[in-house]
Amino acid sequence: MPDPLLLVQMTLLLAIIGAFAGVLAGLLGVGGGIVLVPAYLYAFTTLGYGGDMLMQVCVATSLATIIVTSMRSVLSHNRTGAVIWPILRGWAPGIMAGAVVGVLVVAQLRSTTLQLLFGLLAMTVGLYMALGRSEWRLGTEMPTGIRRIAASPVVGFLSVLMGVGGGSFGVPLMTLYGTPIHRAVATAAGFGLLIAAPAVAGFLLTPVDAAARPPGTIGSVNLAAFLLTIAMTLITAPFGARLAHRLDPARLRRVFAVFLLLVAANMVRRALGG
């Protein structure tokens, strides 16, 4: 049986992480994964877990939370008519295929390699949030045909590598092709479900070694972290949403971009043994 004190510490840490992720999700509309993965890594490392597969647990558990949050988000956005269903349907097969490949790759990588990849990709997202301009365009409509076949698996694959939903890559992609931001956010929520559902199914069947297996872990998914995160997110996300209406969204994005760049740099430092 796990040490009762360890269980209490784990519960408190994960509850704090879930509450923080919920506030950020409501405040900025960002996917929780880009915050949850480094937070889970910190929590599990602090509790004494490690080894070559700890990052897999963080990525898989983050994706499990995204199944729930994406479903709620899509249903909410659909009531306002913001979801662009033709894009969602057209991109679904490629995104799901990329997510499956992502699971197969993640299962073979060392934790430090995944940390490095997460850090580098999070830096890219952070720089785009800090420096990107609403007028930037790659085209006037989303790619179709061969371009969609080539691009859609990349979205799913990179998202699984980071343990994130559709927002980190889907929203920038759609806005660069002329999709209004509110409709891009709504449709990217659907991307998150397409990414997370097949990925989590694969991770539930992907065991990790004992050194990287906190209590309540099935395959690579820690159910304790999943349940606590979802519970706390449901409580705190409305507070973040109310707070967002009182603050300047452009300044918030810049502040979060700086925060994300610092987190990403720390992840790279840890991966390189600094």
Side-chain angles (χ1 to χ4, degrees), residues 60-153:
T61 306
S62 170
L63 287 166
T65 69
I66 288 165
I67 292 177
V68 178
T69 55
S70 290
M71 286 179 65
R72 290 180 66 247
S73 184
V74 168
L75 291 173
S76 175
H77 285 300
N78 189 53
R79 285 195 289 270
T80 67
V83 180
I84 307 176
W85 289 103
I87 291 178
L88 203 53
R89 286 191 293 267
W91 284 66
I95 287 174
M96 295 178 74
V100 171
V101 174
V103 173
L104 297 175
V105 171
V106 167
Q108 304 303 316
L109 295 177
R110 293 169 59 90
S111 186
T112 50
T113 304
L114 276 175
Q115 288 178 48
L116 180 61
L117 289 171
F118 180 96
L120 294 174
L121 289 169
M123 282 184 181
T124 303
V125 174
L127 286 171
Y128 181 83
M129 289 186 72
L131 305 175
R133 297 289 179 266
S134 59
E135 64 270 16
W136 286 1
R137 290 290 180 273
L138 294 176
T140 56
E141 58 182 26
M142 285 287 281
T144 57
I146 293 296
R147 292 190 301 154
R148 182 173 65 192
I149 292 171
S152 55

Side-chain angles (χ1 to χ4, degrees), residues 5 13 52 56-57 71 122 124 131 150 175 211:
L5 179 59
L13 267 175
D52 287 340
Q56 278 88 337
V57 174
M71 286 179 65
T124 303
L131 305 175
T175 55

Side-chain angles (χ1 to χ4, degrees), residues 150-247:
S152 55
V154 175
V155 173
F157 177 74
L158 292 180
S159 297
V160 169
L161 280 188
M162 290 187 70
V164 300
S168 295
F169 298 105
V171 171
L173 177 69
M174 282 185 273
T175 55
L176 286 170
Y177 280 98
T179 305
I181 183 63
H182 70 286
R183 304 205 73 185
V185 169
T187 309
F191 282 10
L193 185 58
L194 296 171
I195 291 160
V200 171
F203 279 126
L204 285 169
L205 301 175
T206 306
V208 296
D209 55 50
R213 193 165 61 241
T217 301
I218 297 179
S220 302
V221 179
N222 186 262
L223 295 184
F226 162 72
L227 292 172
L228 274 168
T229 300
I230 291 301
M232 294 305 296
T233 298
L234 292 175
I235 294 170
T236 59
F239 170 75
R242 288 194 298 270
L243 191 60
H245 292 293
R246 305 175 189 173
L247 301 172

